Amino acid sequence: MINVQIYRYHPEYDTAPYMQSKTLPEEFRKRMVLDALQYLREEDPTLAYRRSCREGVCGSDGMNINGKNWLACIKPVADALGTSNTLVIRPLPGMPVIRDLVVDQSLFFSHYEKIKPWLINDDPAPAIERLQTPEQRKQLDGLYECILCGCCTSQCPSWWWNPEKYRGPSALLQSLRFLLDSRDRGRIERMDGLQDPFSVFRCRSIGNCTWVCPKGLNPMGAIGRIRLELMKEST
Ligand code: FES
């Protein structure tokens, strides 16, 4: 049997969060953590977590699995266990818990909104579409793939320390995605929104963001590139 320790908290019934002990049949070593959660939920329908696509696309099942943020649907149980026989599942750290593994991501998404995640371009619309060269399009690789699961921002100590003011790695990766888009005309206002001492410069290059990104992206590299762009602006 595989041991499971799972974070439980129901604000209407529990005075404090607690870790609940469960077990899984051995065969779950070959399955994903989300399969294990679904099995446990069949035993106890009060267990709450988010999920939707089951394919690592929607970003809704980010959680902390044996100390590292991951998407439960694409994290194999055997991989999460390593040499241990206990699966420890907690909600994403640094975000208020609503219930069990469900966290409140309002602040996370408010930072995303602040970076203006849309093309700013008042040029008259062309007849068909705004074209890019293959080279211009290539600039967006490694950025557009972010699915906003929150794993990187939730594992970032700089964000834990200044969650209201520091944008966090996910929002900054998205910010670079628009700064580098050849169709965007909003560079000046985007850069103005990042010049203060907190939005970008509170990053301490710890690198947890890149360590945990389940899509293999490099938010720390993106933040470095933004810093470089900001320095170019100020010289
Ligand atoms: Fe959609 Fe895991 S359920 S990313």
Side-chain angles (χ1 to χ4, degrees):
M1 298 294 264
I2 302 165
N3 299 319
V4 183
Q5 289 284 313
I6 188 160
Y7 181 102
R8 301 300 307 265
Y9 178 58
H10 192 309
E12 287 169 29
Y13 305 118
D14 302 323
T15 51
Y18 62 98
M19 297 301 286
Q20 186 178 43
S21 300
K22 296 274 188 186
T23 53
L24 288 169
E26 275 296 318
E27 70 198 53
F28 274 88
R29 280 183 202 277
K30 299 183 201 139
R31 311 276 295 271
M32 298 296 168
V33 174
L34 184 61
D35 298 324
L37 284 171
Q38 286 179 192
Y39 173 85
L40 296 174
R41 193 163 188 276
E42 274 165 31
E43 276 182 358
D44 176 359
T46 69
L47 175 63
Y49 54 89
R50 291 192 181 107
R51 59 99 182 89
S52 181
C53 70
R54 205 199 59 83
E55 298 287 346
V57 173
C58 73
S60 56
D61 63 342
M63 56 189 73
N64 190 274
I65 305 166
N66 285 32
K68 183 173 179 181
N69 291 350
W70 204 270
L71 297 172
C73 62
I74 55 170
K75 184 67 174 172
V77 170
D79 189 16
L81 284 171
T83 55
S84 161
N85 194 45
T86 305
L87 202 56
V88 183
I89 307 175
R90 298 173 184 271
L92 287 178
M95 298 186 186
V97 174
I98 296 172
R99 180 175 155 184
D100 296 338
L101 303 173
V102 178
V103 292
D104 181 352
Q105 294 186 304
S106 309
L107 188 57
F108 169 75
F109 280 109
S110 78
H111 284 299
Y112 179 55
E113 198 180 336
K114 281 182 190 136
I115 62 101
K116 302 185 181 172
W118 53 82
L119 281 181
I120 299 172
N121 190 335
D122 291 332
D123 297 349
I128 301 177
E129 58 191 320
R130 298 188 197 278
L131 296 173
Q132 291 186 297
T133 65
E135 291 72 31
Q136 288 169 335
R137 166 61 189 77
K138 206 167 167 33
Q139 293 287 311
L140 309 183
D141 287 350
L143 302 171
Y144 80 91
E145 300 94 329
C146 173
I147 57 170
L148 295 168
C149 62
C151 286
C152 61
T153 297
S154 152
Q155 197 110 43
C156 169
S158 300
W159 196 69
W160 300 340
W161 299 324
N162 291 284
E164 306 280 344
K165 297 181 185 169
Y166 173 50
R167 295 275 168 267
S170 173
L172 292 172
L173 183 110
Q174 293 281 350
S175 182
L176 185 64
R177 178 251 172 275
F178 288 96
L179 277 168
L180 296 185
D181 195 313
S182 59
R183 301 162 295 182
D184 192 78
R185 303 285 177 267
R187 182 178 175 90
I188 293 172
E189 67 184 275
R190 292 187 191 282
M191 295 300 252
D192 283 352
L194 298 171
Q195 281 287 5
D196 64 277
F198 282 91
S199 296
V200 178
F201 290 104
R202 276 292 138 165
C203 170
R204 291 292 178 256
S205 304
I206 295 163
N208 278 4
C209 51
T210 298
W211 175 57
V212 301
C213 176
K215 303 299 282 186
L217 307 180
N218 182 5
M220 188 169 76
I223 294 168
R225 175 74 191 269
I226 294 175
R227 281 174 158 158
L228 214 60
E229 298 290 323
L230 286 167
M231 276 153 58
K232 274 195 229 160
E233 296 283 310
S234 60
T235 52

